[in-house]
Amino acid sequence: MRKPKKLLNNPDAVAREQFEGFMAAVDHLEPVGSYTAAFRKDFCSDKVAIVTGGGAGHEPMYGGYVGAGLADAVAIGDVFAAPSPDVIIETCSALNPNKGVIFVYGNYAGDNMNFDIAAELLEDDDIKSHTVRINDDVISAPKSNSVERRGIAGALYVLKAAGAAADMYHEFDDVVAATEKALKHTASVGVALGPCAIPRNDTFNFEIADDEIEIGMGLHGEPGVGKSKLGTADETVSTLMDKLHKDLDLHAGDEVCVLVNNLGASTQMELLIANRAVNNYLNDNGIAVYDCLVGNYCTSLEMSGYSISLFKLDEQLKCLYDASCHSFALRK
């Protein structure tokens, strides 16, 4: 049986070492004590703070989206594990957010619990907060029960809108409304071709045959709609796009941003072929493509496959998307 192979040091120190490497690559962030957490050096306490976070293993999510026009701070947990409430609280304290905090993170049980604890403790200190749980994965639950959906690569669009809104709007409720609106206009779905493995494990998280794919598999190997035989790129993308088209209720004349995101081990060639199919699908349906992003934006270790996210635009969201930003993983 094939076993995972990674070039590491101590498998138990992966989250710490990748964070140290990340911090060595940026000059606009300050670490939070000895935690795997950081905040913007230039943060102004007179604006609403956008704080994000989650488990390591999804790089460049989430630390890669901390910077001007994006998130203001990040708290990172172990591989595929939520940051602790202490880390989140210390990260918020480092910002000294006079106008409140908006938490933006993926909708997973551990993250929900720990960020909720942090939010309660902030309220005890008279710091208001609001939570936006990313739930863009259309496969993981029906739209009627969207609160149960997982968060995947569409988080990029929500963080982009939240960061821009925090710069543009003075009122806390206005920033919250813009962030929530961006979430409702974002939908994603993925396809897995091969498994991933947590660094300290000597087996893969799941099994999938060489001639199979799974539509809708989650970032940690959570089940999708089931396995099917490997087909062509165009056939696969068409299946994914049908689900996004329906979920966002797209019509001719609508305008969207497109994200083709590598889950970790797929090639640039595969991503670009997928992007070709996505654009052809949208053009055939009279839907305009405003912008495309293709590459590694929210990975899952060495999982093979990709996700597609659509961000349905209106004039407000287009303005927020077009606003300048500067971070490790995204610059406009």
Side-chain angles (χ1 to χ4, degrees):
M1 179 182 295
R2 186 170 69 93
K3 292 187 176 182
K5 182 166 61 175
K6 295 180 172 68
L7 192 58
L8 305 172
N9 295 310
N10 179 358
D12 293 322
V14 167
R16 161 56 57 184
E17 292 187 354
Q18 71 86 19
F19 177 76
E20 292 175 357
F22 167 68
M23 292 300 294
V26 300
D27 60 6
H28 64 286
L29 303 182
E30 185 78 24
V32 179
S34 61
Y35 296 114
T36 50
F39 65 97
R40 288 175 55 190
K41 293 178 180 178
D42 63 347
F43 176 75
C44 174
S45 59
D46 289 331
K47 68 180 280 294
V48 176
I50 308 299
V51 176
T52 189
H58 303 302
E59 291 74 28
M61 194 77 72
Y62 287 90
Y65 304 115
V66 180
L70 290 159
D72 298 303
V74 64
I76 302 171
D78 203 350
V79 178
F80 291 2
S84 71
D86 288 346
V87 175
I88 301 166
I89 285 292
E90 290 297 325
T91 301
C92 293
S93 297
L95 290 173
N96 188 28
N98 295 333
K99 297 195 71 173
V101 175
I102 299 177
F103 291 120
V104 182
Y105 58 86
N107 188 27
Y108 296 93
D111 296 287
N112 294 344
M113 179 177 68
N114 291 353
F115 275 94
D116 281 352
I117 292 172
E120 291 176 6
L121 294 173
L122 286 178
E123 296 289 347
D124 290 342
D125 290 334
D126 295 323
I127 299 174
K128 63 182 174 181
S129 67
H130 180 84
T131 295
V132 178
R133 292 174 178 159
I134 309 297
N135 58 350
D136 57 311
D137 184 356
V138 303
I139 289 296
S140 51
K143 194 169 186 177
S144 59
N145 192 25
S146 61
V147 293
E148 297 296 326
R149 286 180 169 179
R150 302 182 291 247
I152 52 177
L156 179 150
Y157 290 128
V158 184
L159 285 169
K160 179 70 186 68
D167 285 342
M168 293 180 186
Y169 307 146
H170 297 294
E171 297 300 323
F172 184 84
D173 290 346
D174 291 338
V175 182
V176 168
T179 306
E180 294 280 10
K181 181 179 182 180
L183 177 59
K184 291 177 181 177
H185 282 239
T186 302
S188 305
V189 63
V191 56
L193 284 76
C196 62
I198 293 175
R200 65 175 62 93
N201 293 349
D202 61 1
T203 58
F204 289 103
N205 282 20
F206 58 91
E207 295 181 3
I208 188 167
D210 291 341
D211 63 345
E212 290 181 333
I213 61 173
E214 181 155 356
I215 301 293
M217 178 168 284
L219 290 175
H220 314 103
E222 302 96 335
V225 295
K227 296 180 175 66
S228 59
K229 290 300 180 181
L230 178 65
T232 68
D234 285 356
E235 290 168 345
T236 302
V237 169
S238 180
T239 298
L240 302 180
M241 291 298 294
D242 283 346
K243 299 181 184 303
L244 297 178
H245 188 279
K246 179 180 179 181
D247 200 86
L248 284 175
D249 191 26
L250 295 174
H251 300 279
D254 286 337
E255 197 168 18
V256 299
C257 290
V258 172
L259 170 62
V260 180
N261 167 66
N262 188 6
L263 293 177
S266 289
T267 62
Q268 189 77 268
M269 178 185 293
E270 291 168 282
L271 301 183
L272 292 172
I273 290 172
N275 190 52
R276 166 188 175 273
V278 170
N279 277 262
N280 286 344
Y281 182 104
L282 293 170
N283 290 337
D284 289 345
N285 284 275
I287 299 161
V289 177
Y290 186 69
D291 192 30
C292 279
L293 295 174
V294 179
N296 292 26
Y297 291 93
C298 179
T299 60
S300 184
L301 299 172
E302 74 272 43
M303 188 185 293
S304 178
Y306 49 76
S307 62
I308 299 169
S309 301
L310 298 182
F311 185 40
K312 184 179 179 181
L313 298 173
D314 62 11
E315 288 307 310
Q316 180 191 22
L317 294 177
K318 185 183 292 187
C319 180
L320 295 174
Y321 181 77
D322 281 342
S324 64
C325 66
H326 185 95
S327 71
F328 176 75
L330 186 64
R331 300 176 185 179
K332 283 179 71 69

